[in-house]
């Protein structure tokens, strides 16, 4: 059974309890890594400047405490494999529905494809 590494666990711990519950279930069946939970101001503005986020502090759901958003990628990471992101997203959506947790996936954003991004609806 896959399990989160130390860094993933630490990042997930900064997130809302529902995101923790969801991804602690997901990891049992799908290997994945948590890239980002809560972002402090300097991290948010860095993400904005590098194009990973479209908003500056404090407007991201990653800036709430606990974080209302989490970035998770299927492991091992292949940024070019969009099919794999989509397949992983379908799995996470199904799991969220079965747990009665309402989430939005960044891959469904109209303006900006954000494949790793999940936020509470
Ligand atoms: Zn995100």
């Amino acid at each position: 059974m896959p399990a989160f590494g130390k860094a993933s666990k630490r990042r997930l711990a900064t997130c809302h309890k529902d995101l923790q519950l969801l991804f602690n279930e997901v990891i049992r069946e799908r290997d994945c890594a948590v890239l980002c939970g809560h972002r402090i101001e300097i991290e948010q503005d860095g993400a904005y400047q590098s194009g990973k986020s479209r908003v500056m502090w404090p407007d991201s759901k990653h800036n709430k405490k606990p974080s209302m958003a989490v970035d998770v990628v299927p492991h091992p990471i292949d940024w070019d494999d969009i099919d794999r992101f989509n397949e992983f997203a379908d799995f996470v959506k199904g799991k969220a529905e079965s747990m009665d947790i309402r989430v939005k996936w960044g891959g469904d954003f109209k303006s900006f494809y954000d494949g790793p991004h999940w936020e509470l609806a």
Side-chain angles (χ1 to χ4, degrees):
M1 189 170 93
F4 283 128
K6 273 197 183 125
S8 286
K9 277 187 190 156
R10 198 183 61 234
R11 291 166 186 150
L12 189 59
T14 67
C15 298
H16 188 281
K17 157 179 87 51
D18 285 351
L19 291 173
Q20 295 193 35
L21 285 171
L22 173 58
F23 284 98
N24 279 326
E25 283 301 314
V26 168
I27 187 67
R28 297 159 66 93
E29 293 172 63
R30 296 296 169 100
D31 199 9
C32 57
V34 180
L35 298 186
C36 182
H38 180 74
R39 280 192 199 120
I40 61 170
E41 182 168 359
I42 190 167
E43 292 167 334
Q44 180 61 37
D45 291 345
Y48 175 81
Q49 269 141 27
S50 66
K52 292 195 184 94
S53 175
R54 294 192 316 141
V55 291
M56 290 182 75
W57 175 274
D59 296 335
S60 167
K61 294 215 172 186
H62 286 283
N63 302 148
K64 306 282 179 277
K65 244 183 174 170
S67 181
M68 299 299 277
V70 64
D71 295 342
V72 183
V73 290
H75 203 257
I77 302 174
D78 180 353
W79 290 104
D80 297 324
D81 194 345
I82 299 296
D83 288 345
R84 198 146 152 272
F85 272 99
N86 290 339
E87 192 275 336
F88 180 71
D90 285 343
F91 179 81
V92 174
K93 286 175 186 174
K95 186 61 81 179
E97 202 174 307
S98 75
M99 296 172 74
D100 218 12
I101 296 173
R102 287 162 46 86
V103 286
K104 277 196 251 176
W105 178 43
D108 291 327
F109 292 170
K110 295 274 183 293
S111 48
F112 174 62
Y113 181 90
D114 193 354
H117 181 92
W118 292 89
E119 61 183 47
L120 290 173

